[in-house]
Amino acid sequence: MRYSRQELLEDFKDSTDLLAAKKVAVVGVGGLGGLCSYLLAGAGVLKLNIADGDVVSLSNLHRQVLYRMADIGKSKADICKRAILDLDGNAEVTVFPEINAANFDDFARDADLVLDLSDNAKTRMFISKACFMRRINYIHAAVGGYRGILCAFWYADPLFVEKFGCYRCFAGLLPDLKPQGILGPAASMMASSAAMLTLQILNGNDALKGYVQFFDLKNNEIKRMRLTKDADCPVCGEGK
């Protein structure tokens, strides 16, 4: 049976039908999103919307494990879809270009989770706010150098927002960071961590609800900090 080893885990023994019924929308299928989407499909999350307007370049190949030399110049989203369908022909994968206000509703329609694995602050702020306004649960993951960040926001739960706020409360108006060096395994570690958190949430585990995780990928250390609502947040607070 395809998921027999996965179902040996006590909390996932009855998860196959549950995960197959879930739908996840992934923004960005580069070093994080490509592998994360593939891992989710491998675990049985077969309804996926994936969005990326970029094409494969030579400098991507050391960390974006779905892509090959022959893919240079081709759409990352199209190749990611092909890889997922090669893994499981029962998957339903819909490709979108870069997400904006005009197509977000189609991208996120019926999604149980939106994963934001994009690489710039403007996109993150837009995606998070769009999810908040529509009460769609949202996961953010990022990596740069040897550092990674992973957090989830249960926007479908008004009590979560009241207590812990939104992504804007956490990130503020952070500027885009300058490009940093990165090792391929660092991107893969954060992609796997994002996939693990997604599967846990889809399966009903909320142990990390209200926390952000900071990864020191060089020293294999993870720290957790409690999320805090900003009362004056222009998205979810009095400042909106």
Side-chain angles (χ1 to χ4, degrees), residues 111 130-137 154-158 161 240:
C131 289
F132 169 76
M133 297 297 292
R134 294 159 179 80
R135 298 297 188 264
I136 304 170
N137 292 337
W154 275 256
Y155 289 148
D157 179 1
V161 176
K240 63 182 177 180

Side-chain angles (χ1 to χ4, degrees), residues 99-236:
I99 298 304
N100 53 43
N103 66 7
F104 183 84
D105 282 327
D106 287 337
F107 172 69
R109 183 169 289 115
D110 300 324
D112 296 279
L113 271 174
V114 170
L115 272 71
D116 183 1
L117 307 177
S118 59
D119 59 3
N120 68 87
K122 183 177 180 180
T123 298
R124 292 166 187 159
M125 290 296 178
F126 166 72
I127 298 296
S128 173
K129 183 176 180 180
C131 289
F132 169 76
M133 297 297 292
R134 294 159 179 80
R135 298 297 188 264
I136 304 170
N137 292 337
Y138 167 84
I139 289 178
H140 163 68
V143 63
Y146 294 110
R147 297 179 298 167
I149 294 175
L150 178 63
C151 49
F153 295 84
W154 275 256
Y155 289 148
D157 179 1
L159 295 179
F160 175 91
V161 176
E162 183 179 321
K163 186 174 182 179
F164 301 113
C166 67
Y167 175 74
R168 172 64 174 78
C169 296
F170 163 65
L173 292 176
L174 294 176
D176 279 350
L177 298 176
K178 294 180 180 180
Q180 301 181 58
I182 185 171
L183 293 172
S188 293
M189 288 171 73
M190 291 308 301
S192 296
S193 296
M196 178 67 81
L197 179 58
T198 301
L199 291 173
Q200 295 287 355
I201 291 174
L202 293 177
N203 199 40
N205 186 329
D206 62 357
L208 290 174
K209 199 170 189 175
Y211 289 96
V212 55
Q213 296 180 88
F214 296 95
F215 292 73
D216 176 348
L217 300 168
K218 187 174 185 177
N219 298 300
N220 288 322
E221 295 178 353
I222 304 174
K223 295 181 179 179
R224 280 199 287 178
M225 292 182 61
R226 199 79 163 168
L227 292 167
T228 304
K229 183 179 177 67
D230 177 1
D232 296 320
C233 175
V235 175
C236 71

